[in-house]
Amino acid sequence: MTALATTESAPATAQAQAELWPPVPRSVRETGLPASLIAELIAKLILLSGKTPLSVLTNRLHLSLNVLREVLDLLVAEHVLEVAWRGDSDLDVQYQLTAAGRQRATAWLERCAYTGPAPVPLLAYAALVERQAGQMLSLSAEDLAHELGDILLATAQQRMLGAALYAGRTVLLHGPSGSGKSTLARRLGSLLQGIVAVPHALLIGSDIVQVYDALLHRAPQPYQLRQLGERRNCDARWVLCQRPVVALDAELTSAQLELQADVQVGCYRAPPQIQANNGLLIVDDLGRQRMPATDLLNRLTLAQELGRSSVTVGAASAISVACRLQLVFVTSMQPASLLDAAALRRISYKIGIDALDAASYRTLFRHRCVNSGVVFDDAALRYLIEQLHGGSGLPLLACYPAEIVGRIRDFAGFLGEPARVTVATLDQAWTSMFADHPALPAHALPLQPAASRVS
């Protein structure tokens, strides 16, 4: 499943591109920004850079030559800027601040240190978020089975998860720690098809809010870019990205759901529910955050239901920002003890992820061995399931195979031996994982450096 068919005609591709990525503004009016804001960005950038070529202003502010010239002419007329050098071409020109311009630029920089790409108006952002939400492709049973084939979900679990994702409903994955819930939640992001445009920054009131984060917003795959064709006439204030996947953990606080001041950059940072727009927001370890689980869930599910999130800047009034996303909560606690009845009703699908059965555990263990280059042995695996797990009463959780196989490789690498699954290597790995496990049985081999072994 792809965002655009590879056989689309050029006109169809161009139309899809126009819907995805706004066209380049040809005038200040088309940017949706006040000329005074663009003037401040230009003056602050020149204050920090000294004599600045027109091409540098274009690249740094992500605005077209037509827009910049319109504002530059005003700044020259007001004696804020002057032409420092002019070449043979109209493009080959450098600007510098006048003495009065330096004073004004210094005052602007002290008030707001932001000198990055020009922001996008809030209304334009809301319109594109809605358009991109409507382009989300439906999930099929084949897509889900292909992507999650190695997760070994039961049929009932897979169907519930597929139905929830197909309808864009809220999901709660619950079960014991180590059952693979967090891994499953993150894998769901790969099921989000297509690409979206994310603004470098937003203009909210008189404040600039940075949205794009290179650590969260991944670049499109090459085939996705090829399908879009030429992208010369698109607004450079936006960045093409894969649909975002943002994961929050137990460190989350209520303040992080508001606009965060970034002193170093000189603007605000968008909260995670805005950075995850048109993508997936995962709340891991629900119940361990520094705010009540019910409050957190109610806040995010209400934003999803309304299609907008209310955020505040300091003591200012709340501002409504477009919010269209898929929500997945993950917890190791019992849902009924964690959330009240009203909060539980807000969650459309509650999907239990429990311990594996013996057959699925064997399959997963074999996969881990093959992927790690560890020699597999059926008899030793029976010992792991029947004696180590059975004797200790520890459930067959999905987290154990990777841990055990990894430790077998650790020991083998240290001893200079081939990594293989045996009763002895399983005992070594098991003992290193669990402090209350009995001492190694008599058949376990003692640890010896490779140089001291007799060949």
Side-chain angles (χ1 to χ4, degrees):
M1 184 169 64
T2 57
L4 300 169
T6 56
T7 57
E8 282 184 317
S9 64
T13 300
Q15 180 181 358
Q17 176 179 299
E19 293 176 355
L20 172 67
W21 204 352
V24 59
R26 300 294 183 182
S27 66
V28 170
R29 181 179 179 180
E30 289 182 7
T31 68
L33 301 174
S36 58
L37 174 62
I38 300 175
E40 287 187 19
L41 291 174
I42 291 172
K44 289 186 293 185
L45 183 56
I46 295 177
L47 177 66
L48 296 175
S49 305
K51 294 179 182 179
T52 306
L54 179 58
S55 59
V56 171
L57 293 174
T58 300
N59 292 333
R60 292 285 297 276
L61 299 181
H62 294 224
L63 292 172
S64 70
L65 291 172
N66 289 342
V67 170
L68 287 177
R69 279 188 177 132
E70 189 176 337
V71 179
L72 286 167
D73 289 345
L74 291 174
L75 290 173
V76 170
E78 294 178 0
H79 305 290
V80 175
L81 294 181
E82 60 187 6
V83 175
W85 182 85
R86 188 183 298 276
D88 296 332
S89 167
D90 289 342
L91 303 180
D92 196 6
V93 58
Q94 295 181 9
Y95 292 88
Q96 65 184 14
L97 291 164
T98 63
R102 279 192 295 273
Q103 291 181 346
R104 295 180 66 177
T106 300
W108 287 331
L109 191 65
E110 289 174 352
R111 188 180 65 188
C112 175
Y114 181 82
T115 57
V120 169
L122 188 58
L123 288 178
Y125 176 65
L128 191 61
V129 166
E130 289 299 320
R131 211 154 58 231
Q132 293 177 155
Q135 294 173 347
M136 181 78 79
L137 298 181
S138 297
L139 176 70
S140 70
E142 291 77 14
D143 296 325
L144 186 67
H146 178 267
E147 183 59 38
L148 303 182
D150 59 335
I151 298 291
L152 303 176
L153 286 176
T155 301
Q157 294 171 321
Q158 194 171 110
R159 287 179 177 175
M160 281 194 290
L161 187 59
L165 295 176
Y166 174 85
R169 297 181 183 272
T170 305
V171 175
L172 174 65
L173 301 177
H174 62 91
S177 179
S179 59
K181 306 179 301 298
S182 298
T183 299
L184 172 60
R186 284 163 173 76
R187 287 284 294 276
L188 297 179
S190 58
L191 292 165
L192 302 178
Q193 299 296 318
I195 54 180
V196 295
V198 175
H200 282 282
L202 290 177
L203 182 63
I204 300 181
S206 59
D207 296 298
I208 295 177
V209 179
Q210 197 168 36
V211 178
Y212 173 74
D213 185 334
L215 297 178
L216 295 176
H217 298 106
R218 300 163 297 161
Q221 297 291 338
Y223 79 88
Q224 295 173 315
L225 293 176
R226 287 196 299 270
Q227 290 168 351
L228 283 177
E230 290 291 332
R231 300 179 298 281
R232 294 179 181 176
N233 297 319
C234 296
D235 192 343
R237 292 178 295 171
W238 301 80
V239 186
L240 283 187
C241 308
Q242 298 181 48
R243 290 190 181 268
V245 179
V246 178
L248 308 176
D249 56 22
E251 299 301 314
L252 177 70
T253 65
S254 58
Q256 289 174 295
L257 298 178
E258 308 295 346
L259 301 178
Q260 298 288 303
D262 190 326
V263 178
Q264 184 177 4
V265 178
C267 66
Y268 289 91
R269 284 183 288 106
Q273 70 270 26
I274 304 304
Q275 290 181 317
N277 254 332
N278 295 129
L280 175 66
L281 179 63
I282 301 167
V283 179
D284 207 351
D285 278 333
L286 181 65
R288 304 190 188 279
Q289 285 75 24
R290 301 174 188 178
M291 62 183 297
T294 296
D295 292 352
L296 173 57
L297 183 139
N298 286 342
R299 167 123 190 221
L300 293 179
T301 55
L302 180 61
Q304 183 193 44
E305 292 166 8
L306 297 177
R308 61 184 185 274
S309 177
S310 293
V311 296
T312 56
V313 183
S317 302
I319 298 171
S320 183
V321 182
C323 186
R324 296 294 299 270
L325 44 74
Q326 172 83 50
L327 277 174
V328 175
F329 296 93
V330 180
T331 186
S332 298
M333 302 180 184
Q334 288 294 328
S337 65
L338 177 63
L339 302 166
D340 59 33
L344 282 173
R345 284 196 298 273
R346 285 187 175 275
I347 302 173
S348 301
Y349 285 80
K350 297 91 170 171
I351 304 174
I353 307 296
D354 299 311
L356 300 172
D357 57 37
S360 295
Y361 190 88
R362 289 191 187 94
T363 300
L364 182 57
F365 197 92
R366 290 190 189 98
H367 286 168
R368 295 289 182 259
C369 288
V370 171
N371 293 338
S372 301
V374 175
V375 178
F376 178 79
D377 180 74
D378 278 309
L381 181 53
R382 285 197 300 273
Y383 169 77
L384 170 63
I385 294 174
E386 296 171 6
Q387 300 298 320
L388 295 180
H389 276 288
S392 66
L394 288 173
L396 302 175
L397 296 174
C399 66
Y400 290 144
E403 274 291 332
I404 293 171
V405 171
R407 289 163 193 261
I408 289 174
R409 290 189 65 190
D410 293 344
F411 281 113
F414 170 65
L415 296 171
E417 299 176 343
R420 60 178 66 248
V421 178
T422 66
V423 170
T425 58
L426 286 171
D427 274 326
Q428 287 176 335
W430 189 270
T431 303
S432 72
M433 292 171 62
F434 304 107
D436 57 351
H437 184 70
L440 290 175
H443 56 64
L445 297 176
L447 284 173
Q448 299 177 33
S452 67
R453 292 195 304 272
V454 177
S455 58

